[in-house]
Amino acid sequence: MQRTLSIIKPDATSRNLTGSINARFEDAGLRIVAQKRLCLTKALAEKFYEVHKEKAFYDSLCEYMSSAPIVVQVLFGNDAVAKNRVIMGATNPADAEIGTLRRDFGQNIERNAVHGSDSPENAEIEIGFFFSQMEIVE
Ligand code: CMP
């Protein structure tokens, strides 16, 4: 069993898609063991996405991620990191397979509905960024 961090991004929360997205996780056998809705400051978005700070899209991404509420969540289950990446689909909704979250709900490569950790190691770092152990109930 494994945990992964998921973020429902501003484009999705603002279109009231949180419940529809959560249903996809639960239908695929992942359990939502922690969840909260919050607004990132630009400084916090910059810290979270620090690994991308040399990229051309970094400033726009951080501006966007702090523009409206997000929902951060911990997903728990068998092979949760890889499973969530299949559920999400490719980063660019135009390249994502039909039936994936990004294809069905994403608008463009930046406004792509959801974020998910890319490895179990990064999952633990990203979970620690948003949650204390007390807030995670498996
Ligand atoms: P995410 O999984 O949150 O990880 C980094 C984010 O940067 C990514 O989803 C996209 O929202 C964004 N991103 C990645 N590549 C690009 C790009 N080429 N142009 C704009 N935004 C991008």
Side-chain angles (χ1 to χ4, degrees), residues 51-105:
V51 63
H52 294 301
K53 73 168 178 256
E54 306 302 333
K55 308 264 175 62
F57 60 79
Y58 178 66
D59 188 63
S60 171
L61 173 65
C62 295
E63 193 69 53
Y64 158 64
M65 289 298 290
S66 54
S67 66
I70 60 171
V71 172
V72 293
Q73 46 196 188
V74 180
L75 307 179
F76 176 74
N78 239 333
D79 216 10
V81 171
K83 188 177 269 186
N84 185 36
R85 293 181 72 75
V86 172
I87 296 167
M88 290 191 300
T91 303
N92 189 344
D95 300 332
E97 290 197 28
I98 292 169
T100 62
L101 291 174
R102 285 166 168 166
R103 176 64 175 262
D104 293 351
F105 299 128

